[in-house]
Amino acid sequence: MTNSTSAASARVGSGLRIGVLALQGDFREHLRAAEATGAEAVGIRRPKELDGLDGLIIPGGESTAIDKLARAFELAEPLRERIAEGLPVYGSCAGMILLASDIADPATDLSGAPQQTFGGLDMTVRRNAFGRQRDSFETDLEFKGLDFSAGEEGVPPVHAVFIRGPWVERVGSDVEVLAQVEPAEPEHASHAAPLPGTARIVAVRSGRLLATSFHPEVTGEKRVHELFIRMIRGEA
C-alpha cells in the first residue's frame, strides 16, 4: 500500500530548501520525495552547499562508504557542527546509522579504526541487523506522529521496506520511539544472538532529528518525508 500525495501535502514544503547528501546511496529517490512535498531539493556534496538549507536528508546506502566519502570531501566535520547547531536532519537506513551516537558493531578500516558517525541522536544502532540483502522484507508499522494523515478509520499503517536495515538497541532519555517491528518479525533477523520476543526499534526522533531503519522513498510512502517537513516548520 502506498500513500499518494494530497494537494495539501504537495504544498507543505513550499518555500523550504532541503538538501540530500548525494555522496552514495539512493539520494535520487529522496530528492524526488522532498520535491513531492513542494520543497526545493538539492544534492549536497561540498561543505559550501550546506549554506542556506532548512533541512538535510541522509539517504540509505553503505554507511561506511558515506562516512569515508564525507571525510574525503571535507563534509564530515561541517555536518557534525551543523547537526549540533540544530540543523533538522532525517536519516534513512544508512542515514540512521550515521546519526547515531554509537554503533554496536562498527566496521573497521585496514588500520583497524572504526567507522565514524555524524552523531546527533543519543542511541546505539546495530548495522545489517535484520540480515543480508536476501533477508530483505516488508511489513506494516504503527508509526507515531502521523495524525495529520488520519482518515475516518484512523491513521493508516506505514508500509515499510527493510533492506539490510539497522535496528536501534538503546535510546537516550530525549529520544522518542516512533515505530517498532513486533516480535513476529525478528525471525527475519540473522544476528548471531537474537533476542526472541523483543520488539525492534526502527524509527525514532529527537527534537528536529528523525531516523528510520527502512526506506519510505522506495514505496511511494510520502508521510515520513512530510513529517520531517512538519518538524522543520515546528508543526510536529
Side-chain angles (χ1 to χ4, degrees), residues 114-186:
Q115 71 182 102
Q116 299 178 21
T117 71
F118 307 136
L121 286 169
D122 180 13
M123 65 182 184
T124 301
V125 298
R126 184 172 296 279
R127 301 178 310 119
N128 303 329
F130 289 103
R132 298 182 181 277
Q133 193 85 12
R134 65 176 180 269
D135 300 309
S136 300
F137 68 99
E138 304 178 26
T139 190
D140 288 339
L141 300 173
E142 292 186 12
F143 197 110
K144 296 180 182 178
L146 302 183
D147 294 346
F148 58 82
S149 69
E152 292 183 359
E153 298 181 0
V155 178
V158 168
H159 188 70
V161 174
F162 292 84
I163 306 170
R164 297 178 61 197
W167 65 44
V168 180
E169 298 197 341
R170 177 196 63 84
V171 294
S173 58
D174 64 341
V175 177
E176 179 185 5
V177 175
L178 300 181
Q180 301 181 83
V181 171
E182 296 303 322
E185 291 292 357

Side-chain angles (χ1 to χ4, degrees), residues 13 18 20 29-42 57 225 229:
I18 304 300
V20 179
E29 290 83 353
H30 280 287
L31 285 166
R32 288 193 289 269
E35 288 172 347
T37 70
E40 176 191 2
V42 294
I57 297 171
H225 288 82
I229 294 295

Side-chain angles (χ1 to χ4, degrees), residues 1 5-6 21 25 30 78 91-92 96 98 126 137-138 140 146 151 179-180 184 196 202 226 230-231 235:
M1 181 182 72
T5 307
S6 68
L21 192 62
H30 280 287
S92 153
M96 170 183 265
L98 289 160
R126 184 172 296 279
F137 68 99
E138 304 178 26
D140 288 339
L146 302 183
Q180 301 181 83
V202 294
E226 183 174 347
R230 290 176 180 272
M231 288 168 56
E235 299 173 358

